[in-house]
């Protein structure tokens, strides 16, 4: 108990209250927005489940592809936050406007490509994934509508990032809340009153996001001509967005391989792992919110040429994310059995889910470190390093080590999650050590400039 008090006291002492408020002012709305996006998926899945097994199977498979799209737009959103926050810190209004226009243009072009892919190839992709003909037809319809209208999700993400970067951190959260409420009402109306089934649920998702996009447009005072595609290349934006998107895709691809390893241990282990991951996604929500603050503050102070504030903000966001993530992951672990019982009564499945919850809790410090130092590097405009770290960590540590621990050393699911912990530990240390060296260089540069002035 004394150790816990000491930790909290040290945290309070090392982070000024003003800075805590500054970080939480950005992080809490971002957390709420992440939760609302998750809630939209939960509402859709619940309503689709009322239509039968074929419907939920088709939509579930289609959503795996939509999740990849979402990961790409989140990476683009991080890049937008970084470059716009940096221009905001530099007080460069011209660069800020240019980055905003280019961000919107890249979002629209990317959305058109992904939308056409969904419309033309969606059904074929689901068939290639091994789904039954009827499941592919239902999933293909959902993917054609939600994927074909993916511009609504892309623009909501990018416009929300623009608003956060200029200090309007709460408005995107309010828009997400309205969008979720509208989606729930329209989806329920489509399923229970109009009988439109999957078509209605998918259409409601796109319509609610389009309304959110219009509201964000008006808040940013954007005109129709701002949405005309521009084929100029914003190097600053692309240098962050492209590696960040690749890093997210590398994680997604690696997750598929990890599932292939877990499948070897039987259906009950797979089910337990799935339940555990459903519960642990809440563990990361505070970390993602605080990481958003880390990107913004790092880029802002980098634009001001202030390495001392960069150091303080990154250190503070790390401590806060460890504390918040630790509280959530500890609660999830302690409540794991009753929460897991909501999904199943099978003891073997529940035991497997507890394994996931345990390792997620134990890995909190390194998971937080991976999130925060990835965000810091994105804020510094150098997103390649997190991409390298994720590629090495996922494919050489998590997958290779996980396979040997789980299969050859017979550790089963525990072996996979030991390797996951090792992967996060590697990425945390790798990104932190290089960040520390880079920060020292920034201090040296700032000191030299001061000497020249004097």
């Amino acid at each position: 108990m004394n150790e816990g008090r000491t930790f909290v006291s040290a945290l309070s002492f090392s982070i000024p209250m003003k800075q805590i408020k500054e970080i939480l002012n950005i992080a809490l709305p971002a957390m709420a927005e992440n939760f609302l996006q998750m809630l939209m998926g939960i509402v859709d899945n619940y309503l689709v489940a009322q239509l039968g097994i074929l419907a939920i199977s088709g939509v579930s498979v289609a959503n795996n592809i939509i999740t990849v799209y979402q990961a790409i737009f989140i990476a683009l959103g991080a890049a937008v936050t970084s470059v716009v926050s940096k221009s905001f810190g530099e007080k460069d209004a011209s660069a800020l406007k240019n980055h905003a226009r280019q961000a919107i243009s890249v979002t629209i072009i990317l959305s058109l490509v992904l939308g056409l892919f969904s419309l033309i190839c969606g059904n074929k992709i689901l068939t290639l994934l091994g789904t039954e003909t009827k499941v592919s037809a239902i999933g293909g319809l959902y993917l054609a509508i939600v994927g074909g209208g993916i511009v609504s999700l892309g623009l909501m993400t990018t416009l929300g990032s623009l608003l956060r970067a200029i200090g309007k951190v709460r408005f995107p959260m309010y828009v997400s809340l309205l969008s979720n409420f509208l989606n729930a009402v329209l989806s329920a109306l489509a399923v229970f009153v109009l009988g439109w089934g999957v078509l209605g649920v998918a259409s409601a998702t796109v319509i609610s996001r389009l309304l959110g996009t219009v509201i964000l447009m008006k808040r940013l005072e954007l005109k129709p001509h701002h949405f005309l595609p521009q084929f100029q290349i914003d190097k600053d934006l692309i240098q962050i967005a492209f590696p960040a998107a690749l890093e997210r895709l590398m994680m997604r691809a690696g997750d598929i391989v990890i599932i292939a390893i877990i499948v070897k241990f039987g259906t009950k282990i797979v089910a337990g792992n799935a339940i555990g991951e459903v519960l642990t996604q809440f563990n990361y929500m505070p970390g993602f919110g605080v990481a958003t603050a880390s990107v913004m503050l790092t880029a802002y102070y980098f634009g001001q040429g202030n390495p001392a504030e960069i150091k303080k903000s990154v250190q503070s966001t790390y401590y806060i994310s460890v504390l918040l993530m630790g509280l959530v992951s500890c609660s999830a672990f302690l409540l794991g059995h009753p929460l897991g019982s909501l999904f199943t009564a099978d003891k073997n499945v529940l035991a497997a889910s507890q394994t996931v919850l345990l390792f997620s809790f134990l890995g909190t410090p390194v998971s937080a470190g991976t999130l925060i130092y990835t965000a810091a590097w994105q804020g510094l405009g150098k997103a390649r390093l997190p991409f390298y770290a994720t590629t090495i960590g996922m494919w050489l540590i998590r997958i290779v080590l996980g396979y040997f621990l789980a299969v050859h050393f017979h550790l089963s699911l525990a072996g996979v999650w030991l390797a996951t912990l090792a992967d996060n530990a590697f990425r945390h240390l790798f990104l932190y050590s290089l960040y520390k060296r880079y920060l020292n260089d920034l201090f040296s540069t700032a000191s030299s400039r001061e000497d020249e002035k004097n």
Side-chain angles (χ1 to χ4, degrees):
M1 183 65 72
N2 288 334
E3 290 179 1
R5 287 174 181 168
T6 302
F7 174 74
V8 173
S9 299
L11 182 65
S12 302
F13 178 77
S14 61
I15 309 177
M17 186 55 66
K18 181 182 178 182
Q19 195 165 52
I20 291 176
K21 288 181 178 178
E22 182 180 38
I23 292 168
L24 292 181
N25 185 49
I26 301 168
L28 290 176
M31 289 179 215
E33 197 172 348
N34 289 335
F35 176 76
L36 290 169
Q37 287 290 345
M38 191 185 302
L39 188 62
M40 182 178 282
I42 292 171
V43 169
D44 279 1
N45 284 329
Y46 171 76
L47 291 170
V48 169
Q50 312 308 307
L51 303 172
I53 295 174
L54 289 177
I56 191 63
S57 298
V59 171
S60 176
V61 176
N63 267 327
N64 286 330
I65 298 171
I66 299 295
T67 300
V68 175
Y69 298 174
Q70 190 172 21
I72 293 171
F73 287 122
I74 288 172
L76 177 60
V80 171
T81 299
S82 177
V83 296
V84 173
S85 295
K86 182 173 180 288
S87 298
F88 200 55
E90 292 171 338
K91 295 180 172 57
D92 189 339
S94 175
L96 194 153
K97 289 180 181 178
N98 182 60
H99 287 317
R101 285 194 297 267
Q102 290 294 321
I104 293 169
S105 183
V106 169
T107 302
I108 291 173
I109 293 170
L110 186 58
S111 297
L112 290 174
V113 172
L114 295 176
L116 286 173
F117 174 80
S118 300
L119 289 168
I120 297 170
C121 305
N123 207 324
K124 295 177 183 178
I125 293 297
L126 296 183
T127 302
L128 288 174
L129 290 173
T131 57
E132 298 175 11
T133 304
K134 290 182 179 180
V135 173
S136 295
I138 294 171
L141 174 64
Y142 184 86
L143 184 59
I145 297 171
V146 178
I150 202 66
V151 66
S152 59
L153 174 62
L155 285 174
M156 271 197 76
T157 305
T158 294
L159 298 180
S161 297
L162 286 172
L163 281 166
R164 278 190 293 272
I166 60 174
K168 312 291 184 183
V169 294
R170 295 186 181 181
F171 194 78
M173 177 189 69
Y174 298 143
V175 173
S176 288
L177 181 61
L178 176 62
S179 181
N180 270 267
F181 176 75
L182 181 64
N183 176 62
V185 172
L186 292 179
S187 294
L189 182 66
V191 171
F192 297 120
V193 178
L194 300 175
W196 289 353
V198 170
L199 171 66
V201 173
S203 300
T205 299
V206 174
I207 291 170
S208 60
R209 285 173 175 162
L210 283 174
L211 176 66
T213 299
V214 171
I215 295 171
L216 293 171
M217 284 172 51
K218 290 186 176 296
R219 187 69 179 86
L220 284 164
E221 299 181 357
L222 295 172
K223 306 298 180 185
H225 69 271
H226 289 128
F227 292 85
L228 295 174
Q230 299 180 21
F231 296 96
Q232 300 172 341
I233 297 176
D234 187 336
K235 291 183 179 179
D236 292 336
L237 182 65
I238 297 301
Q239 283 176 354
I240 302 173
F242 186 65
L246 284 179
E247 192 256 347
R248 290 292 89 201
L249 291 174
M250 197 62 67
M251 282 293 295
R252 292 292 178 188
D255 286 339
I256 294 172
V257 178
I258 291 294
I259 292 298
I261 295 172
I262 295 173
V263 166
K264 295 179 179 292
F265 306 112
T267 304
K268 291 187 177 182
I269 298 297
V270 173
N273 182 75
I275 291 170
E277 290 198 323
V278 167
L279 297 176
T280 56
Q281 65 184 324
F282 293 98
N283 300 354
Y284 296 96
M285 200 173 293
F288 286 127
V290 178
T292 300
S294 188
V295 173
M296 286 180 58
L297 295 174
T298 301
Y300 179 78
Y301 292 128
F302 185 54
Q304 288 189 331
N306 192 337
E309 288 300 323
I310 292 174
K311 181 179 179 180
K312 288 179 185 177
S313 67
V314 172
Q315 185 180 54
S316 299
T317 51
Y318 174 68
Y319 287 149
I320 291 171
S321 64
V322 169
L323 180 62
L324 295 179
M325 288 175 67
L327 289 172
V328 177
S329 61
C330 181
S331 300
F333 174 66
L334 294 176
L335 298 172
H337 195 277
L339 290 173
S341 298
L342 297 174
F343 296 86
T344 181
D346 190 294
K347 292 182 179 179
N348 292 323
V349 175
L350 289 173
S353 68
Q354 281 294 107
T355 298
V356 177
L357 294 170
L358 173 63
F359 279 99
S360 180
F361 170 58
L362 294 176
T364 295
V366 290
S367 297
T370 300
L371 288 173
I372 296 304
Y373 288 105
T374 294
W377 279 112
Q378 289 172 345
L380 292 167
K382 300 185 180 298
R384 290 185 183 181
L385 285 173
F387 166 65
Y388 298 146
T390 296
T391 302
I392 295 169
M394 171 58 83
W395 293 89
L396 294 183
I397 299 177
R398 188 179 300 200
I399 291 175
V400 175
L401 181 62
Y403 180 81
F404 277 101
L405 290 177
V407 178
H408 288 277
F409 289 92
H410 308 291
L411 293 177
S412 186
L413 188 61
V416 171
W417 281 90
L418 272 171
T420 300
L421 200 155
D423 165 30
N424 283 325
F426 161 75
R427 284 192 281 155
H428 177 189
L429 293 174
F430 177 82
L431 294 172
Y432 171 72
S433 59
L434 292 178
Y435 158 79
K436 196 173 180 181
R437 189 184 306 172
Y438 187 77
L439 196 63
N440 287 335
D441 291 341
L442 288 180
F443 272 111
S444 298
T445 303
S447 179
S448 298
R449 288 174 181 170
E450 285 294 321
D451 291 340
E452 287 176 4
K453 288 180 181 179
N454 296 330

